[in-house]
Amino acid sequence: MARTILIAVDSSESSYNAVRWVATFLLRTGDRIVILHVQPQPDLVQGVVAKDLPLDPEAIESIRTHISKLSRVTLQKCQDICQSFKFAAETKAEIGDPRTVICEEAAHLNADLLVMGSRGLGTLTRQLLGSVSSYCVHNAPVPVLVVRPVGAK
């Protein structure tokens, strides 16, 4: 029976490792693989830059252009990995809060599994910034597999 596997990626090596992990250990003939990269909204980026210092429209457009380019590069690298393992994957770029968009996309696709890499954030950084994978583990409507970095204990 064919499955739909959603792989959520960012531009980290951990994400690329998750794509390789799926290809090596999980992929079966007939599976539908969808690779999702979520671009943060410029207003979300702006909030991280400085809450009390609004950016002008040109700066926001520059950020939007940079984020869009990063998304294309990230998805192309994932496609290259897929081709090296001789399988095809759909790619999708969305804009918004990665945590909620990933969970919504998993529901929309009626995915059988959500796979994502763990960036290996330390306890303090995870507490301050939050962890997308942790959020998804607790809120996604489908099972979540978090692929730890190679060599992680």
Side-chain angles (χ1 to χ4, degrees):
M1 177 180 223
R3 304 169 296 178
T4 298
I5 300 171
L6 175 62
I7 308 173
V9 299
D10 57 20
S11 58
S12 70
E13 189 56 40
S14 295
S15 287
Y16 304 134
N17 186 50
V19 175
R20 288 184 201 96
W21 197 94
V22 167
T24 304
F25 298 108
L26 196 60
L27 186 66
R28 293 192 295 211
T29 303
D31 284 346
R32 176 184 182 204
I33 306 297
V34 180
I35 301 174
L36 173 68
H37 182 259
V38 182
Q39 307 168 22
Q41 294 177 1
D43 61 331
L44 291 175
V45 173
Q46 179 180 341
V48 171
V49 173
K51 291 184 180 184
D52 298 324
L53 181 63
L55 296 176
D56 65 69
E58 285 182 26
I60 291 174
E61 187 56 35
S62 176
I63 292 169
R64 185 175 284 135
T65 300
H66 175 74
I67 290 171
S68 181
K69 180 180 179 185
L70 177 64
S71 187
R72 285 192 306 274
V73 168
T74 298
L75 291 172
Q76 183 57 57
K77 184 162 183 176
C78 291
Q79 284 286 21
D80 293 345
I81 293 167
C82 295
Q83 289 175 358
S84 74
F85 282 92
K86 300 187 180 3
F87 75 93
E90 301 168 38
T91 58
K92 190 169 191 176
E94 295 289 344
I95 298 173
D97 177 5
R99 298 171 300 174
T100 55
V101 172
I102 291 167
C103 291
E104 289 168 359
E105 191 63 25
H108 173 75
L109 291 171
N110 196 26
D112 295 291
L113 181 66
L114 167 60
V115 179
M116 49 197 331
S118 170
R119 291 179 41 200
L121 298 176
T123 304
L124 180 61
T125 305
R126 190 171 42 252
Q127 290 294 329
L128 292 173
L129 298 178
S131 166
V132 174
S133 59
S134 179
Y135 179 90
C136 292
V137 164
H138 292 97
N139 295 284
V142 301
V144 180
L145 171 65
V146 179
V147 178
R148 296 193 49 170
V150 175
K153 294 183 180 187

